Amino acid sequence: MILTDTHTHLYSEEFDQDRTEMIQRAIDNGVSRLFVPSIDSAYTQKMYDLQAQFPENIFLMMGLHPCYVKPETYKEELEHVEAELAKNKFYAIGEIGVDMYWDKTTLNIQQEAFQHQIRLAKKYKLGINIHCREAFDAVFEVLESEKAGDLFGIFHCFAGDFEQAQRAIGLNMKLGIGGVATFKNGKIDQFLNEINLKHIVLETDSPYLAPVPFRGKRNESSYTRLVAEKLSQLYQLPIEEIARITTENSKAVFGI
């Protein structure tokens, strides 16, 4: 059984004490495909080092996270993204999008950076990995403006309602489902089984949003299995089938 974690911040400082063991634990638990999003240039070298250490299991994305879109540095950061894309192999542009939880004052430049990186994704024929926090309208506004046959990707950590899920799917996005699906107040578990599994991929967003029974503690990629177990219950399918379908879906996005 092969499980795929489509979104894990393996370079996070929260793993500094046991990173290698944590990654090996995931692989030993069948989570053998680990996709790592970029947030800004400060972590680029750590990402490359991880890929070199686990070349058969770790696959990188490149992008500028919306929380790191700052007026004084975002243009320089976008230049870094472009430079890395020009010289190295990546499997998606991410994580990119809009975050209205931490800073509403940067909405315009967040949308500008989001659109710019979508166009980079089209240039390199890559999918996108979308961060959306309290910003569905702002994200959909940009996606609609860039809607095209070559726009595809994953709505990372999807936590919207059924209508928003349908809209995202209509824009050629898979839904990234993680620990929130296991929360009592997560809400998406109430309608998820109404969505065809062909639109779903698994993720952890490690070290954040650990699934039950580890909610509130450090998340890690081995917990992808707990998310798969929850989907097995919701869809009334064996976990092996959940793993197979969601991994195939991830291949459609990442090309590997």
Side-chain angles (χ1 to χ4, degrees), residues 53-202:
Q53 187 179 1
F54 293 94
E56 300 298 316
N57 306 100
I58 290 178
F59 309 95
L60 306 181
M61 307 179 219
M62 177 49 58
L64 177 62
H65 188 296
C67 289
Y68 295 80
V69 175
K70 306 296 183 186
E72 60 276 12
T73 58
Y74 83 101
K75 290 186 177 177
E76 182 181 334
E77 285 287 341
L78 289 174
E79 287 175 0
H80 172 78
V81 169
E82 290 194 46
E84 297 306 307
L85 285 168
K87 66 184 182 184
N88 290 301
K89 169 78 172 168
F90 294 94
Y91 296 90
I93 305 295
E95 78 188 82
I96 63 176
V98 182
D99 189 303
M100 296 297 287
Y101 179 80
W102 293 108
D103 188 355
K104 293 180 172 65
T105 67
T106 57
L107 174 60
N108 288 342
I109 58 173
Q110 284 190 51
Q111 286 186 301
E112 177 190 333
F114 185 28
Q115 184 174 50
H116 180 79
Q117 292 179 98
I118 287 173
R119 291 175 179 176
L120 288 175
K122 291 176 177 178
K123 176 181 176 181
Y124 286 96
K125 296 180 171 54
L126 295 173
I128 59 174
N129 189 282
I130 301 171
H131 174 104
C132 176
R133 190 168 187 190
E134 296 187 6
F136 276 105
D137 289 345
V139 165
F140 281 132
E141 182 183 343
V142 176
L143 289 177
E144 290 285 356
S145 72
E146 290 294 326
K147 183 166 61 176
D150 57 350
L151 175 61
F152 64 99
I154 296 170
F155 229 102
H156 148 61
C157 195
F158 183 80
D161 58 26
F162 182 74
E163 182 182 350
Q164 289 163 333
Q166 295 290 81
R167 192 172 178 189
I169 290 165
L171 288 162
N172 215 14
M173 298 295 145
K174 308 289 187 194
L175 306 182
I177 304 300
V180 174
T182 71
F183 297 172
K184 282 186 178 178
N185 61 348
K187 297 181 180 177
I188 61 171
D189 61 317
Q190 296 171 18
F191 64 81
L192 200 57
N193 64 355
E194 298 174 42
I195 294 171
N196 194 306
L197 257 181
K198 69 181 181 181
H199 303 303
I200 305 294
V201 294
L202 305 181

Side-chain angles (χ1 to χ4, degrees), residues 21-52:
E21 294 83 356
M22 181 272 297
I23 294 171
Q24 192 60 54
R25 188 158 52 241
I27 295 167
D28 292 344
N29 276 278
V31 190
S32 55
R33 291 158 49 81
L34 305 164
F35 289 85
V36 179
S38 172
I39 53 175
D40 76 347
S41 59
Y43 292 93
T44 302
Q45 189 55 52
K46 289 183 78 172
M47 289 169 61
Y48 288 141
D49 292 345
L50 280 166
Q51 188 180 49

